[in-house]
Every structure is written in structure tokens, then in C-alpha cells.
Amino acid sequence: MAGGIAGRGETCGALIGGIMAIGQVLGREFLEDREQFQKAMIPAGEMYVKFKEAVGHTLCAEIHKILFGRSFRLYEEEEKEAFVAAGGRGPDGCPGVGSKAAKIAANIILDL
């Protein structure tokens, strides 16, 4: 999921990972279980809203613009190098976004 789904700048992998973690705890075991599906949608939606508030967007390319003033095509080697040079792998880059997402997801799960 790195780089917004295979480096394409789409939905942030940290957000997807947080929602997946919530789904592991609260998701349904059987596809037919609509009631459990509905219960899981509430904290998943909360994850989305809190992530967007904390980070500023849900799309990787837009998060890059917030953090670095531009987006990067991480599937291209030169762009990937520019991303790293800009601090993309540093604590104020994607690891910081991942940390925020993990904390949000953990708090939601602990509050269940």
C-alpha cells in the first residue's frame, strides 16, 4: 500500500491499515452478517474522519503536497529519490503519518 496503493498517490496506506485493524477486531466473520457489518462501519468512519482531521487529507498525493509542497510519482525512480531527499521517509514524512494513523486506530479499538 506504500505510496498510496503501489506508489500511485491514491488512498493513504496508513489510513487503509487503520481501517483494516479495526475490521480485524470488529468486522464480521460471515458475509451474511449485516448487523456486524453495520457495527464495524461506525468506527471505520470515525477512523476516516479523525485521520483526515489529523493529517489534512486521505489521498497520498495530497498528503505529500501538505507535507512537502508537491506530490511524487513513487513508481518512478527519480521521483522516489526526490521523495526521500525531501524527508519522505523521515519522522516528519510518511512514518509520522503512519504513527498518527496507528494511534488513532489504537484509540478507537481500545474504546470499543
Side-chain angles (χ1 to χ4, degrees), residues 1-95:
M1 293 181 282
I5 306 174
R8 304 297 174 170
E10 298 295 331
T11 303
C12 177
L15 172 58
I16 294 170
I19 291 173
M20 289 172 62
I22 291 165
Q24 278 295 110
V25 174
L26 195 62
R28 57 188 169 175
E29 282 189 51
F30 304 101
L31 191 58
E32 302 80 18
D33 190 348
R34 296 281 303 156
E35 184 179 339
Q36 194 61 33
F37 168 77
Q38 293 297 335
K39 287 181 185 177
M41 290 294 288
I42 295 167
E46 182 181 350
M47 174 73 201
Y48 177 92
V49 169
K50 288 184 176 184
F51 179 88
K52 189 171 182 179
E53 288 172 357
V55 177
H57 214 286
T58 62
L59 294 178
C60 179
E62 296 301 319
I63 294 168
H64 285 177
K65 289 177 186 176
I66 291 166
L67 296 175
F68 311 111
R70 62 164 286 204
S71 61
F72 299 89
R73 293 179 303 277
L74 297 177
Y75 54 90
E76 295 180 3
E77 195 57 40
E78 287 181 14
E79 288 282 298
K80 191 184 307 179
E81 290 173 12
F83 171 74
V84 171
R89 293 192 179 148
D92 295 327
C94 289

